[in-house]
Amino acid sequence: MDETTSREKVLKSIRNALISKLDNPYQDVDFESPVFKGLDDSPEMVFARELLNVSGKFVYCSDDNEFALMLDSVIQENKWGKIHCVDKDLQKILDRKGIKYTHEESDFEKMKAGLTRCEYLGARLGSVMVSSAQDSGRRMNVFPDTHLVYARASQLVPDIKDALKGIKAKYGKDLPSLISLITGPSRTADIEKTLVMGAHGPRDLFVFMIDDQV
């Protein structure tokens, strides 16, 4: 009975508040100005710095040829043998340079590294925006031990809001069912306050930024 009475009191207060509307006491609040200060360096430098700060790895490439060379170097260094890639445009680059990869479903659970593209890069947080509309879908961003990201400099924007505007402009009303931000490798400190890498996804994140700016 007491719980019902308390509930009624709360509902009555809410009803009265809705009926008796008061003037906004904060009419002078500026909701249009940016929340953050401007970037303190070029977007490329800020992104690289912030990505490194969250334990990601940044690789600058002047073109697709250099990307292939740098990617092959990373593959050899880590002794992966081959990587997993289901993106057809990326497969063309790998084919031209003779880089070994697989796209077979039977190899999916055994892969050590997966290569995908992205939607945007957010400079301020060093984040990678991905979506389910990409050829790589949902799984390739979270399953492999190492996530390799192919990104172009033209996909770099200052803030998340800019990336979301770009997504809306690109897809219109047909927004992807999943739009996600990746900020560094997966990690957690929930277990005895000990930092564990790769807890819910990749333990390593490489971002290869290809300079396509003219």
Side-chain angles (χ1 to χ4, degrees):
M1 187 64 181
D2 290 340
E3 290 183 4
T4 303
T5 302
S6 299
R7 179 173 178 273
E8 287 299 328
K9 288 180 179 179
V10 171
L11 292 176
K12 183 178 180 181
S13 297
I14 295 174
R15 281 194 294 267
N16 290 337
L18 293 174
I19 293 171
S20 305
K21 293 184 178 180
L22 301 176
D23 293 334
N24 181 3
Y26 307 106
Q27 296 182 10
D28 296 331
V29 176
D30 182 4
F31 291 102
E32 300 300 325
S33 297
V35 175
F36 300 106
K37 294 181 180 179
L39 300 181
D40 59 4
D41 207 333
S42 68
E44 293 82 2
M45 292 299 296
V46 173
F47 176 81
R49 181 184 69 208
E50 296 303 319
L51 177 65
L52 293 173
N53 283 343
V54 292
S55 302
K57 297 178 176 66
F58 178 80
V59 184
Y60 169 82
C61 306
S62 59
D63 53 29
D64 284 345
N65 289 330
E66 187 172 6
F67 159 70
L69 289 173
M70 299 300 290
L71 175 61
D72 187 55
S73 177
V74 171
I75 293 173
Q76 299 303 324
E77 181 180 347
N78 290 276
K79 299 179 181 180
W80 290 325
K82 58 184 177 181
I83 59 175
H84 204 92
C85 178
V86 297
D87 188 299
K88 292 180 175 56
D89 287 336
L90 292 179
Q91 288 177 0
K92 293 176 182 177
I93 298 175
L94 302 181
D95 286 335
R96 286 199 299 267
K97 297 301 178 181
I99 296 177
K100 295 181 180 180
Y101 68 91
T102 177
H103 57 83
E104 300 296 336
E105 182 68 23
S106 57
D107 294 327
F108 184 82
E109 294 187 3
K110 298 179 291 184
M111 70 171 165
K112 297 297 182 182
L115 175 65
T116 76
R117 286 184 292 170
C118 67
E119 296 284 3
Y120 286 96
L121 301 177
R124 189 179 301 278
L125 300 178
S127 298
V128 180
M129 179 174 282
V130 297
S131 82
S132 55
Q134 297 171 231
D135 285 353
S136 49
R138 298 168 178 257
R139 300 186 300 172
M140 288 290 290
N141 302 313
V142 296
F143 191 87
D145 285 340
T146 299
H147 185 191
L148 308 167
V149 178
Y150 173 99
R152 295 193 172 276
S154 57
Q155 293 176 290
L156 181 62
V157 294
D159 287 297
I160 295 172
K161 67 176 183 179
D162 302 302
L164 291 173
K165 287 180 182 178
I167 286 282
K168 290 180 181 179
K170 180 178 180 180
Y171 294 103
K173 295 182 180 180
D174 297 322
L175 286 175
S177 58
L178 174 103
I179 300 172
S180 183
L181 281 174
I182 300 170
T183 306
S186 173
R187 69 188 69 200
T188 183
D190 292 341
I191 305 171
E192 298 182 355
K193 297 183 180 180
T194 301
L195 181 63
V196 178
M197 304 297 287
H200 309 294
R203 66 179 66 249
D204 279 314
L205 172 67
F206 284 80
V207 176
F208 297 83
M209 183 187 288
I210 290 76
D211 188 358
D212 63 339
Q213 306 283 20
V214 179

